[in-house]
Amino acid sequence: MRADICAVACADLFRGDGEILASPMGTMPTLGARLARLTFAPDLLISDGEALLFADTPALGTPGQVEGWLPYRAVFDVLAWGRRHVVMGANQLDRFGNQNISCIGDHAQPQRQLLGVRGAPGNTVNHRTSYWVPKHSPRVFVDQVDMVSGVGYDKAAGPFHDLHRIVTDLAVLDFDTPTRAMRLVSVHPGVTVAEVEAATGFALSVEDAVETRTPTPEELTLLHTLDPNNLREREVPSREPAVRAATHR
Amino acid sequence: MRDKRMTADEVVACLSDGMTVGIGGWGSRRKPMALVRAILRSKLKDLTVVSYGGPDVGLLCASGQVRKVVFGFVSLDTIAYDPWFKHARENARIEVRELDEGMLQCGLRAAAHRLPFLPIRAGLGSDVLRLDPTLRTVRSPYDDGEDLVAMPALRLDAALVHLNRADRHGNAQYLGPDPYFDDLFCLAAERRYVSCEQIVDTAELTATAPVQTLLLNRMMVDGVVETPRGAHFTSCAPDYGRDEAFQRSYARSAADPALWAEFTNRYLSGDEAAYQAEVGVPA
């Protein structure tokens, strides 16, 4: 199931992070962080997305055993401290990883007002940041974002800037190139490199692309336990994704 | 010790046109909605609102009383975008200063500390700085020589916050999991008003909850308003959760002028007691 691949790819984002705060935004990254903690990243701190840290690793939407208190004011301290890895969403992303969640169009009078920059500017200059994009399309992967909310590699934003990876419903991408332009790391099973290229509004480096790993039997069992209502499938339905690129072109 | 009890309308009578007003809470959580509704009933105009924004911002955009919004986000939490803020932005009806959430906190803290600015990394490289040319950077005077954002103090003329309980002197307590930034809003403001679910005797504040829940002390507060369900339709944990059905109706009504006229007529044309009666809160 494509959603399982995505959840495991999101979990892999946290590999090697150690005893830091995982801040996943949305269903799939949250599932990923919890899967990571139950497998290869047992020291991760996870929260209810609000003020509580969980000692255990509850299924999505169920309460957990509290091990700590982390209200919003303390989250800002943790992010300035750097012991945090956030996985944010993105309405737009460009080749250097500039992200927009503020508005579409001219900021003075947007065609579409979105959330606002939220904590994206602070996250991206203080600690490791990844992105989750549930619908990989040229509408998201654009030549230039309308409002730089999260900061990309071409902006030289200080000593702690660390864009890690992007997981989408089609692929995994990173910035491990000489120019720090986006690169295709892997395509999910059943997806072709050409499909990803067609769904991306700029040229990607694709030479080293491999196939995204599939979940282990243990991971599949855990995903089932962590997401018994199959919310992940609602976010990434098992369907043929190729049509989408064409409709947005 | 002074008795600082007031009504919501008396609080609004202390405000004037063009003021910068900080509003506590976060998104669609623990917003001082009874005080916001009192503003909606008033003739106040040209306000600058500083907020981790929710329907407080939206309703003041709908009424046309806000000239400028200083924000990091405006969201209803379970509904991503506030429809009236969206409408005001997409029709260029308001000015904005869009900040990173941490920058907003930093600016309030600078004001609270009576500093002209505080340094912060957030904002570097982002369009927040490009779109607000009044924002400056500052170079570290130490060997690292790092360039940082000099976040200017966000001084507030008034702060409006809502907590669970208070005494008549302005000592106030939150009983939910998150204090948000309500104390900081008060410290950054010239005049500070707290509405609460219940006014109790001072001794009662710590009789049933730990002393650490006392977020505001009386030197941070100029007026106290007892207004049960005063955060409705936002949440005020643990007293009540968000009224999701009402919030959906708010968002839906905003999409259609006829529905909005019906909404304002039903909910916002009377006083707070009429509002609470209309939303069906048991007396």
Side-chain angles (χ1 to χ4, degrees):
Chain A
M1 195 162 88
R2 178 69 56 79
D4 294 330
I5 307 280
C6 293
V8 170
C10 284
D12 279 341
L13 294 172
F14 297 101
R15 206 172 272 280
D17 277 354
E19 199 160 35
I20 66 160
L21 176 66
S23 287
M25 314 283 168
T27 300
M28 196 67 84
T30 300
L31 190 55
R34 292 187 189 186
L35 179 63
R37 183 153 101 163
L38 287 176
T39 51
F40 51 80
D43 291 333
L44 278 182
L45 284 81
I46 61 168
S47 83
D48 64 348
E50 298 191 36
L52 306 177
L53 293 172
F54 285 148
D56 55 0
T57 310
L60 295 177
T62 59
Q65 171 65 47
V66 175
E67 72 163 340
W69 182 55
L70 204 74
Y72 288 117
R73 58 180 63 199
V75 172
F76 292 142
D77 290 336
V78 172
L79 82 85
W81 192 35
R83 298 182 73 88
R84 182 169 183 249
H85 182 171
V86 68
V87 185
M88 279 187 284
N91 297 93
Q92 294 178 324
L93 273 169
D94 73 16
R95 75 192 67 212
F96 293 112
N98 294 290
Q99 168 244 31
N100 176 22
I101 49 172
S102 166
C103 66
I104 302 296
D106 180 10
H107 192 262
Q109 183 172 358
Q111 290 155 31
R112 197 161 157 242
Q113 174 64 38
L114 306 168
L115 276 179
V117 294
R118 295 219 70 152
N123 293 341
T124 46
V125 298
N126 278 305
H127 55 63
R128 178 163 276 198
T129 300
S130 297
Y131 294 105
W132 159 245
V133 176
K135 285 180 185 154
H136 192 138
S137 85
R139 210 177 266 203
V140 177
F141 289 86
V142 293
D143 189 50
Q144 213 170 5
V145 303
D146 293 337
M147 164 94 183
V148 177
S149 310
V151 179
Y153 273 112
D154 57 338
K155 303 288 194 293
F160 306 116
H161 183 242
D162 179 16
L163 295 190
H164 183 48
R165 281 183 165 192
I166 301 151
V167 178
T168 79
D169 59 336
L170 302 181
V172 178
L173 306 110
D174 73 4
F175 303 92
D176 193 9
T177 58
T179 62
R180 309 317 302 263
M182 203 182 289
R183 178 184 78 129
L184 186 61
V185 175
S186 66
V187 290
H188 301 339
V191 179
T192 65
V193 170
E195 278 174 86
V196 176
E197 288 183 300
T200 305
F202 48 84
L204 280 172
S205 161
V206 301
E207 301 79 53
D208 304 321
V210 296
E211 188 166 275
T212 311
R213 79 173 177 96
T214 52
T216 65
E218 185 206 2
E219 284 172 329
L220 282 176
T221 307
L222 288 170
L223 282 175
H224 198 72
T225 313
L226 288 169
D227 181 21
N229 298 318
N230 209 5
L231 298 175
R232 62 195 184 285
E233 170 80 10
R234 216 174 298 173
E235 196 161 16
V236 179
S238 305
R239 46 130 173 71
E240 183 53 54
V243 185
R244 192 181 330 124
T247 52
H248 285 309
R249 265 276 146 102
Chain B
M1 288 187 284
R2 276 181 294 153
D3 186 336
K4 295 175 186 164
R5 285 176 293 176
M6 307 171 75
T7 66
D9 291 323
E10 285 168 347
V11 168
V12 171
C14 296
L15 308 179
S16 46
D17 294 349
M19 269 191 172
T20 297
V21 179
I23 302 182
W26 174 277
S28 195
R29 304 172 200 197
R30 221 178 63 219
K31 286 289 176 179
M33 296 302 282
L35 298 180
V36 170
R37 285 187 282 269
I39 294 176
L40 298 176
R41 289 194 296 273
S42 78
K43 302 242 184 293
L44 270 181
K45 61 179 188 328
D46 296 331
L47 299 175
T48 292
V49 171
V50 180
S51 180
Y52 291 101
D56 52 332
V57 170
L59 282 164
L60 292 168
C61 285
S63 70
Q65 289 166 289
V66 57
R67 185 178 60 80
K68 183 173 180 181
V69 180
V70 181
F71 72 106
F73 65 86
V74 178
S75 172
L76 303 176
D77 295 347
T78 45
I79 297 174
Y81 307 130
D82 178 276
W84 283 109
F85 177 68
K86 198 166 149 45
H87 185 263
R89 286 284 289 134
E90 291 170 7
N91 293 280
R93 296 266 170 79
I94 51 169
E95 290 175 44
V96 290
R97 185 183 215 184
E98 181 163 356
L99 299 169
D100 167 89
E101 293 165 358
M103 290 173 77
L104 206 161
Q105 180 195 33
C106 187
L108 293 173
R109 190 175 278 152
H113 291 187
R114 301 182 298 173
L115 289 166
F117 72 90
L118 277 170
I120 186 169
R121 284 203 183 82
L124 292 170
S126 78
D127 277 346
V128 167
L129 268 62
R130 179 177 67 82
L131 288 164
D132 185 349
T134 68
L135 290 171
R136 301 269 188 271
T137 57
V138 64
R139 179 153 298 171
S140 163
Y142 299 103
D143 289 346
D144 55 270
E146 191 177 343
D147 284 323
L148 300 161
V149 174
M151 181 59 209
L154 292 172
R155 294 187 190 85
L156 308 174
D157 295 311
L160 309 176
V161 301
H162 185 82
L163 273 69
N164 301 86
R165 298 195 299 184
D167 68 13
R168 66 190 61 190
H169 312 297
N171 299 300
Q173 171 176 59
Y174 75 107
L175 298 172
D178 202 313
Y180 308 119
F181 300 88
D182 290 0
D183 47 344
L184 203 46
F185 276 98
C186 289
L187 292 171
E190 289 290 320
R191 305 177 197 180
R192 299 76 44 95
Y193 303 99
V194 55
S195 60
C196 64
E197 293 297 310
Q198 195 188 1
I199 291 179
V200 298
D201 288 337
T202 306
E204 206 180 313
L205 291 170
T206 47
T208 52
V211 70
Q212 294 92 329
T213 59
L214 290 167
L215 187 64
L216 307 179
N217 59 60
R218 60 191 168 84
M219 68 181 162
M220 300 158 73
V221 173
D222 297 293
V224 184
V225 180
E226 184 176 56
T227 174
R229 302 279 294 185
H232 183 273
F233 51 96
T234 70
S235 63
C236 186
D239 292 311
Y240 45 90
R242 186 178 303 121
D243 187 337
E244 298 287 358
F246 188 93
Q247 178 161 290
R248 280 194 298 276
S249 128
Y250 161 72
R252 207 169 37 238
S253 304
D256 178 313
L259 284 177
W260 185 248
E262 201 180 305
F263 183 95
T264 51
N265 187 48
R266 179 165 176 201
Y267 296 114
L268 302 175
S269 60
D271 61 10
E272 182 67 13
Y275 174 86
Q276 294 293 349
E278 202 59 47
V279 300
V281 174

